[in-house]
Structures are given as structure tokens and as C-alpha cells.
Amino acid sequence: MVDSLFADVSYFQSPVDDSYPHAILSFRSNDGTFGDPNFAVNYEWACQAADSGRLACFIVYFYWRPNWHDTMRTHREMVERAGGPHPRMITMIDVESGGNPHGDQSDGINRAYWNIADWLGDPRRVIGYANHGDFHGMWSDRPDGLRVIGAGYGRNPNLPGQIAHQYTDGKGFGGGLPEGCPPFGACDMNAANGMSPQDFAAACGVGIEEEFMSALNEAEQRELLEKTRDIWIQLRGPEGKGWPQLGKNTHGENLTPVDALAAVEQALDHPRK
């Protein structure tokens, strides 16, 4: 069985460098509106490592705060200033009770989740992080299909949707697994049990399209793009503005085939007298 290990770091550790041995990396962008001082260096390295194939994917996480809009905006702005989001980047929402109000915070967490999902274009690329108590106490109402890294030192929490387990904070509990790695030394470590780095990436919606395209030769890729373009034209019209021969809607816009079929169905249901 293949297991994938990876570190979870912030400015409490040194910046990443080429001594890092794993194919997944998780690092912080911000805690609320506080930007992590190591983010820019870690992000630049991760992008280069993903482009070269050293990393299958990487996770950028933010510590959720009740000012979720400012927290989420800080995360997005930091990533965008660094040239991202990279296509192999996954965003993780770090849900912890430390310093946050008591009780269910699902509404604010979900608002942040869907904002980031819209930004990245795929909800699979937004995952969560929590221990058992915070997961069920702070985030009791969660999006369907949410993938989670469950924190449990010395005990696997086996949370719903869990795809990895943070098994140590670098201070024990590894049970024979590493308590850290270069260049960070002791640090939070995670295990994606039964998953290769590529499996983990695919579970988060990363790399699937790239791998499909790379399996095709140049002629096959060109043929696929031409067929996709032909289908798009048939559905949307030569310039994406419908077909003039199908008539116009109430706004004076050309109808698409779907619009025209709907108009025909409506006319059949409500014939003129």
C-alpha cells in the first residue's frame, strides 16, 4: 500500500528549499489578516517544484477567523500577488477553536469555502483541516463532498471526507513515522494513507485534465480541440452570440439551439388561438 507523507509549515519553520523530500507540501498564507512572512518564498519554490514535477500538488492554507471575508480576501490577494493561483495549488481552510468564538461557525466557514471555490473554479480544490472536536463543533454544516485533513496526535480521527491525517506536531506521536523533515526539522507531519501523491492531487481535482491531455499526442490534442470548438460553435453560434436564423429573444439577442427548442416547446404548450 502506498502512503504519502508531507509537512505542514509556517514562519515557525525555515523556508522550504530543495532538501525537502516529499511530493506534497502544505504551508500557510495567513492567519486572519496577518500574512505569513515565509509565504512568498514558499510559494515561489512550490510553483517551481510543481512545474518541474518535484511536487504533485501543494496546499496553501489560511487560519479561519470570524472576519471571514477579510481573511479570505487576504489569502486571495497574497496568492495573486505571487502570480497565482497555480493550477496545482489547493486551498485549505484551517478550522481551529484557538482564539475563535465558541459554537457553530458553519455559516462563515461555508461562505469562505464557496468564495474560494468560485475563485479556483472547482470546489474539489478547497479542503478543510480540523481536529474531531472543532470539525463537529465549529463546522457542523459542511459542503457535500468536502475533503478534510484530520488532526489527531496519537489517534486517527477518521473524519467524514478525510483524505489525510496530521499525526504529529513534531513532538511525538509518530509511532515510527517521521516527526519532521528537512529543511524544517520537527514540524507538523501528515500521512495520506493508501494514496500516492498523484492520487491525493487527483482527489483534490488537481492534475486530472493535465494527465489526460499529456496522454494524447500532438495530433490527437489538436483534433480534440477542433472537435470541442465545433461543439461550442454549434451550441453558442459562430461568435458565441446565438444563431440569427433561429430568431431572437425579448432582448433582441439571437437564440441558441437550446433557446430555440425551449421556444418551440412553449409554443406547443401554449398554441395561439
Side-chain angles (χ1 to χ4, degrees):
M1 179 180 292
V2 177
D3 297 328
S4 297
L5 303 179
F6 58 99
D8 179 324
V9 297
S10 66
Y11 79 99
F12 294 110
Q13 289 78 35
S14 64
V16 68
D17 61 33
D18 287 348
S19 66
Y20 182 66
H22 303 298
I24 305 170
L25 175 65
S26 176
F27 56 93
R28 187 175 70 173
S29 58
N30 56 296
D31 176 343
T33 57
F34 170 76
D36 193 289
N38 281 357
F39 166 76
V41 174
N42 287 339
Y43 190 85
E44 180 180 10
W45 183 92
C47 290
Q48 293 174 353
D51 289 341
S52 70
R54 178 190 288 265
L55 289 182
C57 62
F58 61 92
I59 301 165
V60 180
Y61 71 92
F62 63 87
Y63 194 106
W64 184 89
R65 295 294 186 183
N67 60 340
W68 65 267
H69 190 272
D70 292 335
T71 300
M72 171 274 303
R73 184 175 60 200
T74 299
H75 170 76
R76 288 180 53 163
E77 288 177 350
M78 291 181 70
V79 170
E80 288 168 353
R81 282 198 301 269
H86 190 279
R88 288 187 171 269
M89 186 197 88
I90 300 159
T91 288
M92 183 169 74
I93 304 176
D94 184 351
V95 176
E96 301 184 44
S97 55
N100 279 322
H102 297 293
D104 190 356
Q105 305 296 322
S106 296
D107 181 66
I109 299 171
N110 288 336
R111 288 177 184 271
Y113 172 93
W114 286 113
N115 188 291
I116 298 296
D118 289 344
W119 175 54
L120 294 177
D122 187 342
R124 293 175 299 174
R125 290 180 63 188
V126 188
I127 65 175
Y129 166 94
N131 63 32
H132 184 277
D134 292 339
F135 185 70
H136 293 286
M138 292 183 67
W139 204 356
S140 61
D141 180 18
R142 300 174 294 272
D144 291 339
L146 175 70
R147 293 161 176 81
V148 182
I149 295 179
Y153 306 148
R155 182 178 181 182
N156 191 332
N158 289 314
L159 301 177
Q162 182 174 304
I163 56 173
H165 169 211
Q166 186 170 104
Y167 62 85
T168 183
D169 58 359
K171 301 175 183 176
F173 306 107
L177 293 175
E179 302 285 346
C181 66
F184 313 119
C187 64
D188 294 345
M189 290 292 294
N190 306 269
N193 296 322
M195 303 180 79
S196 70
Q198 292 72 28
D199 292 336
F200 182 93
C204 299
V206 170
I208 298 173
E209 295 82 1
E210 297 171 27
E211 291 172 7
F212 173 73
M213 290 299 288
S214 66
L216 304 177
N217 60 39
E218 184 176 348
E220 290 170 331
Q221 291 185 30
R222 185 166 54 251
E223 181 183 4
L224 177 61
L225 290 173
E226 290 174 353
K227 289 180 177 178
T228 302
R229 186 180 299 110
D230 289 342
I231 294 170
W232 187 89
I233 290 172
Q234 290 296 321
L235 289 174
R236 300 297 303 171
E239 297 179 358
K241 298 180 180 179
W243 292 94
Q245 59 265 47
L246 294 178
K248 297 183 181 295
N249 61 23
T250 56
H251 301 290
E253 301 165 333
N254 296 330
L255 298 179
T256 67
V258 175
D259 296 330
L261 286 172
V264 169
E265 182 177 8
Q266 185 176 20
L268 292 174
D269 289 341
H270 303 283
R272 292 181 179 179
K273 295 181 180 179

Coordinates of all heavy atoms in Angstrom, one line a residue, residues 36-76:
D36 N 1.7 35.4 6.5 CA 2.8 34.7 6.9 C 4.1 35.2 6.3 O 4.1 35.3 5.0 CB 2.6 33.2 6.6 CG 3.6 32.3 7.3 OD1 4.8 32.4 6.9 OD2 3.3 31.6 8.3
P37 N 5.1 35.6 7.0 CA 6.3 36.1 6.4 C 7.1 35.2 5.5 O 7.8 35.7 4.6 CB 7.2 36.4 7.6 CG 6.3 36.6 8.8 CD 5.2 35.6 8.5
N38 N 6.9 33.9 5.6 CA 7.6 32.9 4.7 C 6.7 32.6 3.5 O 7.2 31.8 2.6 CB 7.9 31.6 5.5 CG 9.1 31.7 6.4 OD1 9.7 32.8 6.4 ND2 9.4 30.7 7.1
F39 N 5.5 33.1 3.4 CA 4.7 32.7 2.3 C 5.3 32.9 0.9 O 5.3 32.0 0.1 CB 3.3 33.4 2.3 CG 2.5 33.2 1.1 CD1 1.9 32.0 0.8 CD2 2.4 34.2 0.1 CE1 1.1 31.8 -0.3 CE2 1.7 34.1 -1.0 CZ 1.1 32.9 -1.3
A40 N 5.8 34.1 0.6 CA 6.2 34.4 -0.8 C 7.3 33.4 -1.2 O 7.3 32.9 -2.3 CB 6.7 35.8 -0.8
V41 N 8.3 33.2 -0.3 CA 9.4 32.2 -0.6 C 8.9 30.8 -0.8 O 9.3 30.1 -1.8 CB 10.5 32.3 0.5 CG1 11.6 31.2 0.2 CG2 11.1 33.7 0.6
N42 N 8.0 30.4 0.1 CA 7.5 29.0 0.0 C 6.6 28.9 -1.3 O 6.7 27.8 -1.9 CB 6.6 28.7 1.2 CG 7.4 28.5 2.5 OD1 8.6 28.2 2.4 ND2 6.8 28.6 3.6
Y43 N 5.9 29.9 -1.6 CA 5.0 29.8 -2.8 C 5.8 29.7 -4.1 O 5.5 29.0 -5.0 CB 4.0 31.0 -2.8 CG 3.0 30.8 -3.9 CD1 1.8 30.1 -3.6 CD2 3.1 31.4 -5.1 CE1 0.8 29.9 -4.6 CE2 2.1 31.2 -6.1 CZ 1.0 30.5 -5.8 OH 0.0 30.3 -6.8
E44 N 6.8 30.6 -4.2 CA 7.7 30.6 -5.4 C 8.3 29.2 -5.5 O 8.4 28.7 -6.6 CB 8.7 31.7 -5.2 CG 9.7 31.7 -6.5 CD 10.7 32.8 -6.4 OE1 10.9 33.4 -5.3 OE2 11.4 33.1 -7.4
W45 N 8.9 28.7 -4.5 CA 9.5 27.3 -4.5 C 8.5 26.3 -5.0 O 8.8 25.4 -5.8 CB 10.2 27.0 -3.2 CG 10.9 25.6 -3.3 CD1 12.2 25.5 -3.5 CD2 10.3 24.3 -3.1 NE1 12.5 24.1 -3.5 CE2 11.4 23.4 -3.3 CE3 9.1 23.9 -2.8 CZ2 11.2 22.0 -3.1 CZ3 8.9 22.5 -2.7 CH2 9.9 21.6 -2.8
A46 N 7.3 26.3 -4.4 CA 6.3 25.3 -4.6 C 5.9 25.4 -6.1 O 5.7 24.3 -6.7 CB 5.1 25.5 -3.7
C47 N 5.7 26.6 -6.7 CA 5.3 26.7 -8.1 C 6.4 26.1 -9.0 O 6.1 25.3 -9.9 CB 5.1 28.1 -8.4 SG 3.6 28.9 -7.7
Q48 N 7.6 26.4 -8.7 CA 8.7 25.8 -9.5 C 8.8 24.3 -9.3 O 9.0 23.6 -10.3 CB 10.0 26.5 -9.1 CG 10.1 28.0 -9.4 CD 11.4 28.6 -8.9 OE1 12.2 28.0 -8.1 NE2 11.6 29.9 -9.2
A49 N 8.6 23.8 -8.1 CA 8.6 22.4 -7.9 C 7.5 21.7 -8.6 O 7.6 20.6 -9.1 CB 8.6 22.1 -6.4
A50 N 6.3 22.3 -8.6 CA 5.2 21.7 -9.3 C 5.4 21.7 -10.8 O 5.1 20.7 -11.5 CB 3.9 22.5 -8.9
D51 N 6.0 22.8 -11.3 CA 6.2 22.8 -12.8 C 7.3 21.8 -13.2 O 7.2 21.3 -14.3 CB 6.7 24.2 -13.1 CG 5.6 25.3 -13.0 OD1 4.5 24.9 -13.1 OD2 6.0 26.5 -12.9
S52 N 8.2 21.5 -12.3 CA 9.3 20.6 -12.7 C 8.9 19.1 -12.4 O 9.6 18.2 -12.8 CB 10.6 20.9 -11.9 OG 10.4 20.6 -10.5
G53 N 7.8 18.9 -11.7 CA 7.4 17.6 -11.4 C 7.8 17.1 -10.0 O 7.5 16.0 -9.6
R54 N 8.6 17.9 -9.3 CA 9.0 17.5 -8.0 C 7.8 17.4 -7.0 O 7.8 16.5 -6.2 CB 10.0 18.6 -7.4 CG 10.5 18.3 -6.0 CD 11.3 19.5 -5.5 NE 12.5 19.7 -6.1 CZ 13.7 19.2 -5.6 NH1 13.7 18.6 -4.4 NH2 14.8 19.4 -6.2
L55 N 6.8 18.3 -7.1 CA 5.6 18.2 -6.3 C 4.5 17.8 -7.2 O 4.3 18.3 -8.3 CB 5.3 19.6 -5.7 CG 6.2 20.1 -4.6 CD1 5.6 21.5 -4.1 CD2 6.3 19.1 -3.4
A56 N 3.6 16.9 -6.7 CA 2.4 16.5 -7.4 C 1.3 17.6 -7.2 O 0.5 17.9 -8.1 CB 1.9 15.2 -6.9
C57 N 1.4 18.3 -6.1 CA 0.5 19.4 -5.8 C 1.0 20.1 -4.5 O 1.9 19.5 -3.8 CB -0.9 18.9 -5.5 SG -1.1 17.7 -4.1
F58 N 0.4 21.2 -4.2 CA 0.8 21.8 -2.9 C -0.4 22.5 -2.3 O -1.4 22.9 -3.1 CB 2.0 22.8 -3.0 CG 1.8 24.0 -4.0 CD1 1.3 25.2 -3.5 CD2 2.1 23.8 -5.3 CE1 1.1 26.3 -4.3 CE2 1.9 24.9 -6.2 CZ 1.4 26.1 -5.7
I59 N -0.5 22.6 -1.0 CA -1.6 23.2 -0.3 C -1.2 24.5 0.3 O -0.1 24.6 1.0 CB -2.0 22.2 0.9 CG1 -2.4 20.8 0.3 CG2 -3.1 22.8 1.7 CD1 -2.5 19.7 1.3
V60 N -2.0 25.5 0.1 CA -1.8 26.8 0.8 C -3.0 27.0 1.7 O -4.1 26.9 1.3 CB -1.7 28.0 -0.2 CG1 -1.5 29.3 0.5 CG2 -0.6 27.8 -1.2
Y61 N -2.7 27.2 3.0 CA -3.9 27.2 3.9 C -3.9 28.6 4.7 O -2.9 29.3 4.8 CB -3.8 26.1 5.0 CG -2.7 26.1 6.0 CD1 -2.9 26.7 7.2 CD2 -1.4 25.6 5.7 CE1 -1.9 26.8 8.2 CE2 -0.4 25.6 6.7 CZ -0.7 26.2 7.9 OH 0.3 26.3 8.9
F62 N -5.2 28.9 5.1 CA -5.3 30.1 5.9 C -6.1 29.6 7.2 O -7.0 28.8 7.1 CB -6.0 31.2 5.2 CG -7.4 31.0 4.7 CD1 -8.5 31.2 5.5 CD2 -7.6 30.5 3.4 CE1 -9.8 31.0 5.1 CE2 -8.9 30.3 2.9 CZ -10.0 30.5 3.8
Y63 N -5.8 30.3 8.3 CA -6.4 30.1 9.6 C -7.7 30.9 9.6 O -7.6 32.1 9.5 CB -5.5 30.5 10.7 CG -5.8 30.0 12.1 CD1 -5.1 29.0 12.7 CD2 -6.9 30.6 12.8 CE1 -5.4 28.6 14.0 CE2 -7.2 30.2 14.1 CZ -6.5 29.2 14.7 OH -6.8 28.8 16.0
W64 N -8.8 30.2 9.7 CA -10.1 30.9 9.6 C -10.4 31.7 10.8 O -10.1 31.3 11.9 CB -11.2 29.9 9.4 CG -12.6 30.5 9.2 CD1 -13.2 30.9 8.1 CD2 -13.5 30.9 10.3 NE1 -14.4 31.5 8.3 CE2 -14.6 31.5 9.6 CE3 -13.5 30.8 11.7 CZ2 -15.7 32.0 10.3 CZ3 -14.6 31.2 12.4 CH2 -15.7 31.8 11.7
R65 N -10.9 33.0 10.6 CA -11.3 33.9 11.6 C -12.7 34.4 11.3 O -13.2 34.3 10.2 CB -10.3 35.0 11.7 CG -8.9 34.7 12.1 CD -8.8 34.1 13.6 NE -7.4 33.9 14.0 CZ -7.1 33.4 15.2 NH1 -8.1 33.0 16.0 NH2 -5.8 33.2 15.5
P66 N -13.4 34.9 12.4 CA -14.8 35.3 12.1 C -14.9 36.4 11.1 O -16.0 36.6 10.5 CB -15.2 35.8 13.5 CG -14.4 35.1 14.5 CD -13.0 34.9 13.8
N67 N -13.8 37.3 10.9 CA -13.9 38.2 9.8 C -13.5 37.5 8.6 O -12.5 37.8 7.9 CB -12.9 39.4 10.1 CG -11.5 38.9 10.3 OD1 -11.2 37.8 10.6 ND2 -10.5 39.9 10.1
W68 N -14.3 36.5 8.2 CA -14.0 35.5 7.2 C -13.8 36.2 5.8 O -12.9 35.8 5.1 CB -15.1 34.5 7.0 CG -16.4 35.1 6.6 CD1 -17.5 35.5 7.3 CD2 -16.8 35.3 5.2 NE1 -18.5 36.0 6.6 CE2 -18.1 35.9 5.3 CE3 -16.2 35.0 4.0 CZ2 -18.8 36.2 4.1 CZ3 -16.9 35.4 2.8 CH2 -18.2 36.0 2.9
H69 N -14.5 37.3 5.6 CA -14.3 38.0 4.3 C -12.9 38.6 4.2 O -12.3 38.4 3.1 CB -15.4 39.0 4.1 CG -15.5 39.6 2.7 ND1 -14.7 40.7 2.3 CD2 -16.2 39.2 1.6 CE1 -14.9 40.9 1.0 NE2 -15.8 40.1 0.6
D70 N -12.5 39.3 5.2 CA -11.1 39.8 5.2 C -10.1 38.7 5.2 O -9.0 38.9 4.5 CB -10.9 40.7 6.4 CG -11.8 42.0 6.4 OD1 -12.2 42.4 5.2 OD2 -12.1 42.5 7.4
T71 N -10.3 37.7 5.9 CA -9.4 36.5 6.0 C -9.2 35.9 4.6 O -8.1 35.7 4.1 CB -9.9 35.5 7.0 OG1 -9.9 36.0 8.3 CG2 -8.9 34.3 7.0
M72 N -10.4 35.6 3.9 CA -10.4 35.0 2.6 C -9.8 36.0 1.6 O -9.0 35.5 0.7 CB -11.8 34.7 2.2 CG -12.1 34.3 0.8 SD -12.3 35.7 -0.3 CE -13.7 36.5 0.5
R73 N -10.1 37.3 1.7 CA -9.5 38.2 0.8 C -8.0 38.3 0.9 O -7.3 38.4 -0.1 CB -10.2 39.6 1.0 CG -9.7 40.7 0.0 CD -10.5 41.9 0.2 NE -10.3 42.4 1.5 CZ -11.1 43.3 2.1 NH1 -12.2 43.7 1.5 NH2 -10.8 43.7 3.3
T74 N -7.5 38.3 2.2 CA -6.1 38.3 2.4 C -5.4 37.1 1.7 O -4.4 37.3 1.0 CB -5.8 38.3 3.9 OG1 -6.3 39.4 4.5 CG2 -4.3 38.3 4.1
H75 N -6.0 35.9 1.8 CA -5.5 34.7 1.2 C -5.4 34.9 -0.3 O -4.4 34.7 -1.0 CB -6.3 33.5 1.5 CG -6.0 32.3 0.8 ND1 -4.9 31.5 1.0 CD2 -6.7 31.7 -0.3 CE1 -5.0 30.5 0.2 NE2 -6.0 30.6 -0.6
R76 N -6.5 35.3 -0.9 CA -6.6 35.5 -2.4 C -5.5 36.5 -2.8 O -4.8 36.3 -3.8 CB -8.0 35.9 -2.8 CG -9.0 34.8 -2.7 CD -10.4 35.2 -3.1 NE -10.4 35.8 -4.4 CZ -11.5 35.9 -5.2 NH1 -12.6 35.4 -4.7 NH2 -11.4 36.4 -6.4

